[in-house]
Amino acid sequence: MPYMLITTQIRLETGPTNVGDEYSDPAIMNYLGARKTTMLGNNFSEYHVDDPPRLVLDKLEKIGFRVLTMTGVGQTLVWCLHKETE
């Protein structure tokens, strides 16, 4: 999977950070130390880490991901990353 989205809520820039959904690469989620959770009332799972987004971005850069774009959507900050395929 060459694309990845990470998000956090404004005012929570120190974490936690949402790093994936139920279809995310388990190896990358393990590398980030992410835990898979399902919020009450949701019919999907998400991966979260306690780290702030900056640390997550640093870790992902070390394994070849690059930020394509970043935006704010309502009270959410969103980063889109891409990794070149071999």
Side-chain angles (χ1 to χ4, degrees):
M1 285 187 226
Y3 290 93
M4 185 169 189
L5 293 176
I6 68 167
T7 65
T8 193
Q9 297 296 306
I10 294 175
R11 303 263 182 219
L12 296 176
E13 294 91 349
T14 58
T17 304
N18 181 338
V19 294
D21 60 21
E22 56 198 347
Y23 304 108
S24 296
D25 184 337
I28 295 172
M29 297 300 108
N30 187 50
Y31 169 74
L32 294 173
R35 63 190 178 285
K36 189 175 181 181
T37 59
T38 303
M39 300 295 286
L40 184 63
N42 288 349
N43 62 351
F44 58 90
S45 299
E46 298 174 303
Y47 283 95
H48 300 271
V49 295
D50 291 327
D51 295 332
R54 185 186 59 80
L55 292 181
V56 173
L57 292 169
D58 288 348
K59 287 180 181 179
L60 290 170
E61 181 181 43
K62 289 178 183 176
I63 60 170
F65 281 91
R66 299 288 179 257
V67 173
L68 291 180
T69 189
M70 185 272 179
T71 191
V73 181
Q75 296 295 308
T76 304
L77 301 173
V78 182
W79 290 262
C80 179
L81 295 90
H82 183 262
K83 181 177 183 179
E84 292 294 326
T85 54
E86 286 91 32

